[in-house]
Amino acid sequence: MSAVAAGPQYSGAMSDATDRPPAPVARACEPAARAAGIEAGARMTKRAALWRRLPWMVAGALSLALGVIGIFLPLLPTTPFVLLAAFCFARGSARCEAWLLGHPRFGPVIAQWRANRAVPLRAKQAAWVMMTVSSIVSAWVMPVVPWLPAVCCLVVGLWLWKLPTAP
């Protein structure tokens, strides 16, 4: 028997747990959520079915994993994958979105993106350097179609550079 059974059934905001209210958001998450102009889960007014949230949660987890791998692997840019993870978590899990917004490294980038669609200059420069290095290495290593990674990186790099620069 759960501790919630004594009180009224919870029917509030969306949560990953179905039989209890969502865990309170840590205080560290609140400034990032406010800075982004949203409260975690504000877009989710009704409780969505698990089958509708699960694909978003899986896509968000995969995007975040690719973003973290991109920190160490030069071929993968980190910032676009983290932004994609925030997009997916906003539709699938308020708790994961709040955690991501409160993260000391990823939270400010997401807040700046949501506020004015801007990416910090340092992130743009790092992405360009890493994609250039990885394109050169992949052209040297790949026997077939050595130019393909360079073209993909160029497209992502141009899109990233055309975005406004965060102050």
Side-chain angles (χ1 to χ4, degrees), residues 15-120:
S15 167
D16 294 316
T18 57
D19 63 342
R20 64 178 188 265
V25 176
R27 295 274 180 211
C29 297
E30 291 175 4
R34 284 192 198 116
I38 63 159
E39 220 175 274
R43 287 187 216 110
M44 299 178 250
T45 56
K46 290 195 276 185
R47 181 166 185 77
L50 180 63
W51 68 270
R52 296 183 96 185
R53 293 184 298 125
L54 191 60
W56 289 113
M57 290 188 292
V58 169
L62 288 174
S63 298
L64 186 59
L66 287 173
V68 170
I69 291 170
I71 295 171
F72 306 104
L73 189 64
L75 190 61
L76 293 174
T78 300
T79 305
F81 284 115
V82 171
L83 294 175
L84 181 61
F87 175 82
C88 293
F89 284 148
R91 284 147 183 77
S93 172
R95 184 172 52 184
C96 292
E97 180 188 21
W99 174 81
L100 198 56
L101 286 172
H103 193 276
R105 273 297 212 216
F106 302 138
V109 173
I110 297 167
Q112 289 173 351
W113 174 257
R114 287 183 175 176
N116 51 7
R117 297 269 190 234
V119 177

